[in-house]
Amino acid sequence: YGPLSNGVTSVIYEGHMGNTRFRRPWSILEENQVNVWKTSPSILRMLMAREDTKILNHKLPHLRSVLSSGEPLTSDVWQWFASYFQQTDVMLLNGWGQTETAGTLICQSPYHQNQCPLNVGRPLPGASISVKISANASDERGQVGELIVTGPWPGLEDAPELISAESPMATGDAVLKNADGSYRILGRIDDVVNIGGQRIDILEIEMAIRDHRYVKNVCVIGIPDKIKGQRLVAHVEPIDATISSD
């Protein structure tokens, strides 16, 4: 509710973005003269996978920045975005938030140059963020752990006293805190499967499969295995439905 409380006009689209040959997002941005577009890497990948988006002639002079959140931003999406908007000043900003936080709590700044595109930036004013790390580690910087919220934030109205440094809100997201104080979301802490004693991150497997030129989307899960405890199963959606499943 941040934009609304500040008198900002919001455009909310309820429907499938793949309608009308995947041109719907651009039409909404153009017709409503949108300045800031909040979306997800999945939507950007959907557009990236469609060759016809490269020849669209939509005029987006009002668009200043695009905020990506909801899942980790990958380098292939960033590179596609930079190439697609290379003739403009439109910025792709990476951020983090959850349904439980009712908004973005960590985000890159449009005023900072040379930000790593895969980082989500620093906590926004009023947000108290930390990393739950091993008790043996003296500094959370450079450490991978669970992202936790250690205090109430703007927009939290119900029982803000229940969230504190002593009683933080666990997010379930794995995060790396960089030396400059910015954060990088690595995935869910429960997206790890144990196969024959080897711990494998599902996100890494999905990213490796998604790098294939014929893959549009992929979802990898761990299922029980009688021999190794767990095994991986991947559901792969090809760019072209006529491509052989082999």
Side-chain angles (χ1 to χ4, degrees):
Y1 302 104
L4 293 176
S5 63
N6 285 279
V8 176
T9 301
S10 297
V11 179
I12 301 175
Y13 177 75
E14 184 178 3
H16 193 274
M17 280 294 188
N19 293 338
T20 62
R21 297 185 63 191
F22 291 80
R23 302 182 181 185
R24 190 57 179 154
W26 307 128
S27 298
I28 295 175
L29 299 177
E30 181 180 29
E31 294 169 3
N32 296 279
Q33 300 181 357
V34 173
N35 303 126
V36 180
W37 177 28
K38 184 175 181 181
T39 186
S40 69
S42 290
I43 295 296
L44 296 177
R45 281 195 296 270
M46 178 193 74
L47 296 171
M48 181 178 67
R50 300 294 298 188
E51 289 295 325
D52 54 1
T53 62
K54 298 181 180 180
I55 61 174
L56 298 184
N57 192 31
H58 290 285
K59 297 179 180 179
L60 306 173
H62 298 87
L63 187 63
R64 300 195 309 267
S65 58
V66 176
L67 171 60
S68 173
S69 64
E71 58 185 291
L73 181 66
T74 53
S75 58
D76 59 337
V77 173
W78 168 262
Q79 291 169 0
W80 169 82
F81 184 92
S83 174
Y84 195 87
F85 286 96
Q86 61 182 343
Q87 302 300 327
T88 72
D89 295 325
V90 179
M91 296 175 291
L92 177 59
L93 303 175
N94 199 1
W96 175 88
Q98 293 184 328
T99 302
E100 294 84 352
T101 64
T104 302
L105 296 189
I106 310 176
C107 190
Q108 293 179 335
S109 170
Y111 305 106
H112 291 168
Q113 302 296 323
N114 301 320
Q115 300 176 105
C116 176
L118 302 185
N119 294 337
V120 293
R122 298 178 175 84
L124 296 175
S128 301
I129 302 294
S130 187
V131 181
K132 183 180 180 181
I133 56 177
S134 169
N136 297 326
S138 58
D139 188 352
E140 64 181 31
R141 301 196 182 203
Q143 301 290 327
V144 175
E146 182 182 9
L147 184 69
I148 57 176
V149 182
T150 57
W153 59 91
L156 177 64
E157 296 183 357
D158 295 334
E161 69 280 357
L162 297 181
I163 299 179
S164 64
E166 294 73 27
S167 180
M169 185 187 85
T171 66
D173 284 333
V175 65
L176 168 68
K177 186 172 183 180
N178 300 299
D180 63 357
S182 64
Y183 293 84
R184 177 178 295 190
I185 304 299
L186 303 177
R188 296 289 296 176
I189 60 173
D190 50 5
D191 278 349
V192 173
V193 295
N194 193 316
I195 301 179
Q198 301 294 320
R199 299 178 70 251
I200 300 177
D201 189 282
I202 286 179
L203 177 62
E204 294 181 2
I205 303 298
E206 290 179 339
M207 292 175 65
I209 297 175
R210 193 177 291 125
D211 282 342
H212 195 283
R213 59 178 179 167
Y214 290 137
V215 173
K216 176 183 177 182
N217 275 313
V218 59
C219 176
V220 177
I221 62 172
I223 64 173
D225 184 89
K226 294 182 179 180
I227 304 299
K228 297 184 178 181
Q230 283 185 301
R231 59 188 174 94
L232 295 176
V233 174
H235 173 77
V236 180
E237 180 183 5
I239 293 176
D240 187 346
T242 63
I243 296 175
S244 170
S245 60
D246 294 335

